[in-house]
Amino acid sequence: MVMHSSRNGPTGSQPRYLASTAVLLVEVIKLLASLTLASNDMCKSNPRRSPAEIAALVYRSVFAHDCWKLVIPAALYTLQNSLVYVAISNLDAVTFQVTYQLKILTTVLFSIALLGRKISSRQWMSLILLTFGVALVQVSGPISTEDWRERLSSLMQGEIPVSSGFKGLMAVIAASLTSGLTCVYFEKLVKDSLDSVSLWTRNVQLSFFSLFPALFIGVLWQDGASIAQNGFFAGYGPIVWLTIALQALGGLVVAVCIAYADNVAKNFAASLSIVVCYAASAILFRTPLMLHSTGGAAVVLLAMYLYTSRPGPRVMLLPMSKERHSAVENPPRPLLFQLMSPR
């Protein structure tokens, strides 16, 4: 909600701030925060070390022999952001929001393939419901059956230009696959080495390698001309800085969630936040409630209940043994009757 306000609120005579600069600052803040937490962990392990020794130890742990593995998720995150930009540019908002929810299912598929996670049929049903519910909640405005029919028929019959139809659809599907692969790969990398490499050291490595695409591709290549004309911090204000701080904090919390839970739990938490945001927007900004969005919120809550709840114990009907059959036909008498009966 804060980000929406920063991107759509009035700016007066100031230009709108550039998203690429905000992304770079988020990575810088995450890098500094993770570096501080990693140094604090190493200081606790041996309080007698000097600051110079701790700095040298942090440097060796960050740039260890396996640090190159974090180049892969950093590059995949950059590719995912680029694909999202292409998809948004070539699809309408409704089609993008609905299709991009496939990342929930792709995350589960990569979790099964890379982590060997077991998903029951009940959980599969809840995940499909979650995808459907989140898609409904994120669709803004009234949507009729005719609207959906026109979108699908025009897309399938090729009435929409290839640049705005097929290209956008392929981009959003590729972004969903990239999102699932990136999240699961980072989870596997963190959990496989959590005993030897701390979570915050991995986060330092990820943020460090993410700086290069954010700087060279986003800031210099994409928005270099605007920054040269208006400056790096053009359009910045308290709401923009609050957005950047919340994004950085969210990135740190996601890392903890992935390390000590999993990406499926992260997806459910993100889905619940969408429902909370939908309800809060209706209360704070008096956004009208739509029937399909309200139904989608209910479906999300139902999916969370189905995924986290355990099925009740099954009643097993097995053949009775002779001893059990005799005990059922002649149950033991109460203790009072036993005492009163003659021996």
Side-chain angles (χ1 to χ4, degrees), residues 143-155:
I143 301 295
S144 63
T145 306
E146 293 298 326
D147 293 335
W148 284 110
R149 193 173 300 166
E150 290 178 3
R151 283 193 180 95
L152 292 175
S153 62
S154 58
L155 183 62

Side-chain angles (χ1 to χ4, degrees), residues 95-110:
T95 306
F96 170 76
Q97 289 169 343
V98 172
T99 313
Y100 194 44
Q101 302 314 315
L102 289 173
K103 63 183 181 180
I104 297 176
L105 298 180
T106 59
T107 301
V108 179
L109 291 175
F110 281 113

Side-chain angles (χ1 to χ4, degrees), residues 22 48 81 86 130 143 154 173 248 256 288 324 328:
R48 297 181 180 179
N81 292 332
V86 172
L130 181 69
I143 301 295
S154 58
I173 293 175
V256 176
R324 186 182 174 193
V328 170

Side-chain angles (χ1 to χ4, degrees), residues 114-115 182-194 258 263:
L114 298 180
L115 302 177
T182 307
C183 293
V184 175
Y185 178 85
F186 182 66
E187 178 184 351
K188 178 176 176 59
L189 193 61
V190 168
K191 290 184 175 179
D192 287 348
S193 59
L194 197 57
I258 290 176
N263 278 291

Side-chain angles (χ1 to χ4, degrees), residues 220-239:
L220 297 180
W221 181 64
Q222 181 180 342
D223 296 322
S226 299
I227 294 173
Q229 181 180 358
N230 300 318
F232 187 90
F233 296 102
Y236 274 66
I239 191 69

